[in-house]
Amino acid sequence: GKGNYRHFMEKELHEHPAVLGDTLRQYLDPGTLEVRLPRLPFDPAKVPRLTLTACGSAFLAAHVGRYWIEKLARIPCDADVASELRYRDPPLPEGGAAILVSQSGETADTMAALKLLKEGGQKVLSIVNVPESTMARSSDAALLTVAGPEVGVASTKAFTAQLAVLACLAVGFGRARKQISQVDEGRLTQALLSVPSFAAEILDRDAEIRALAAEVAKARDVLFLGRGSLFPIALEGALKLKEISYIHAEGYAAGEMKHGPIALIDSAVPVIALCPSGPLFEKTCSNLQEAAARGGRVMAFTDAQGAPALRRFAEHVIELPTVGAFSAPILHAIPVQLLAYHVAVLKGTDVDQPRNLAKSVTVE
Ligand code: F6R
């Protein structure tokens, strides 16, 4: 049941800390601060290329996975939605491998991609939430997210659990390829082990996010911006808002705004930015200033170090804990999902069962 929550989605959002803890404990050792992966169907030290594919939010998790794996392990990665990968007839390398991501393990497009990848000689590793699903059984190996049943049609806790598994894989691959040292591994696993408590802290900002939602609920169009590994999270924010509140939203790489979408900006369009401090902050901040200069209403998620610069021109600044670049995508997914939830509640839509959508899409 829903317990004391109004919707399954609200309940599932509040399960983020527990689910992240349970999932991370499967793949890393808090004692030795090492990643602990089960036997994989390919050797990460030798694999020439990885194909990451999935649909919807699961694809956005795979998209973040590409940023992490390329950065930490230096393995060339290709990330594409399953319904495109299938028809693109991609050249698949000998000895290559694929990572598929799915909550249900039954998504028809992802299953069709699995078949194509296997026929192309790729070893298939899937990240799934339902252990007995078709995808888990048809893959060479399956890594489970420990998210428990997800009832709300919009994916929430399963998405962050997928990110947690991908983060562990990236660190494990980085070690296997000698791209990161044991000290780096310790630092990265430590960052991941802090994720559940940061997630709880972010959920405590509920009232602040609800206030932001009251503004967003009045909009007809919303723009989400992020750079680097936060770009897919901007896409996740836009997807979730569209799907449950029916407000038109777009996610963009922050640097792409000036190449077109800036034409949309006026005082009616909230620009929601994922902009934590770090090496990408300055550039993103100046993109946002350009939006503000055109009357755009900038609403930014940042941290203590980023807040002062943003407060000079942003309408709303939500200060999240300082989490570091590696775990930032996991922790920024939570406020954007929570924002979509509150907007949908204010709009009075059917949060758990949005129109035209099904929990598991079994047609291609
Ligand atoms: C978005 C959402 C969908 C699913 C997609 C894939 O909130 O829930 O986009 O992520 O349909 O489903 P699975 O993960 O079951 O393959």
Side-chain angles (χ1 to χ4, degrees):
K2 289 184 281 219
N4 290 328
Y5 295 103
R6 270 175 304 172
H7 302 97
F8 280 106
M9 186 177 177
E10 187 185 28
K11 172 173 179 265
E12 289 164 358
L13 279 164
H14 286 270
E15 285 170 0
H16 275 302
V19 161
L20 285 163
D22 291 346
T23 302
L24 288 166
R25 267 191 300 280
Q26 288 292 309
Y27 304 106
L28 47 89
D29 184 334
T32 61
L33 297 181
E34 281 170 340
V35 164
R36 194 175 46 197
L37 298 175
R39 240 188 109 71
L40 299 175
F42 58 90
D43 181 353
K46 299 210 180 91
V47 72
R49 180 172 197 88
L50 286 172
T51 303
L52 292 99
T53 192
C55 300
S57 280
F59 166 70
L60 299 176
H63 197 172
V64 174
R66 165 164 62 147
Y67 280 89
W68 280 332
I69 294 169
E70 290 197 334
K71 186 170 173 64
L72 296 176
R74 314 301 300 159
I75 305 173
C77 291
D78 188 20
D80 206 355
V81 291
S83 57
E84 282 302 311
L85 181 82
R86 272 201 71 192
Y87 298 108
R88 200 152 54 82
D89 193 15
L92 297 166
E94 207 173 308
I99 299 177
L100 272 55
V101 186
S102 176
Q103 189 284 126
S104 64
E106 302 297 343
T107 301
D109 284 317
T110 314
M111 279 307 299
L114 186 150
K115 186 162 169 279
L116 171 114
L117 290 160
K118 279 198 144 180
E119 284 166 3
Q122 308 299 289
K123 291 292 183 194
V124 175
L125 176 65
S126 62
I127 298 173
V128 289
N129 195 43
V130 181
E132 61 279 8
S133 60
T134 314
M135 208 174 300
R137 286 185 282 109
S138 322
S139 304
D140 295 303
L143 300 180
L144 299 178
T145 45
V146 194
E150 194 180 62
V151 178
V153 162
S155 186
T156 50
K157 59 177 179 165
F159 177 73
T160 51
Q162 289 159 354
L163 290 176
V165 177
L166 286 158
C168 292
L169 281 178
V171 175
F173 293 173
R175 279 293 275 154
R177 289 174 92 91
K178 303 192 164 55
Q179 293 295 326
I180 60 171
S181 67
Q182 196 172 357
V183 174
D184 294 331
E185 180 175 15
R187 190 176 43 79
L188 295 164
T189 52
Q190 192 96 66
L192 291 175
L193 288 165
S194 310
V195 161
S197 62
F198 281 138
E201 246 184 83
I202 291 169
L203 289 167
D204 285 340
R205 307 283 165 88
D206 194 65
E208 232 177 302
I209 293 171
R210 214 171 331 125
L212 182 63
E215 292 305 313
V216 174
K218 295 179 214 153
R220 200 189 57 178
D221 308 285
V222 179
L223 219 51
F224 284 81
L225 301 179
R227 201 181 267 273
S229 62
L230 289 171
F231 165 45
I233 305 302
L235 295 171
E236 164 70 0
L239 174 59
K240 220 96 302 173
L241 190 68
K242 277 186 272 217
E243 130 176 89
I244 62 170
S245 78
Y246 315 146
I247 292 177
H248 171 242
E250 299 279 347
Y252 262 96
E256 270 295 291
M257 192 189 61
K258 59 186 172 298
H259 298 290
I262 196 159
L264 290 173
I265 289 178
D266 63 25
S267 59
V269 181
V271 178
I272 300 177
L274 308 179
C275 192
S277 62
L280 305 180
F281 180 82
E282 289 302 326
K283 282 260 162 66
T284 307
C285 192
S286 63
N287 298 145
L288 297 173
Q289 242 164 319
E290 284 160 27
R294 283 154 187 83
R297 304 171 59 197
V298 176
M299 306 177 181
F301 289 99
T302 187
D303 49 31
Q305 210 187 318
L310 289 160
R311 285 216 173 88
R312 280 186 216 125
F313 59 86
E315 181 175 319
H316 277 266
V317 173
I318 294 192
E319 212 178 291
L320 301 176
T322 304
V323 299
F326 178 47
S327 59
I330 311 178
L331 289 158
H332 282 74
I334 299 170
V336 299
Q337 291 178 346
L338 200 55
L339 176 67
Y341 172 74
H342 285 305
V343 174
V345 170
L346 288 167
K347 299 283 270 187
T349 57
D350 189 346
V351 175
D352 285 333
Q353 292 270 295
R355 67 188 181 203
N356 311 339
L357 289 167
K359 184 66 185 160
S360 169
V361 184
T362 52
V363 291
E364 286 177 34

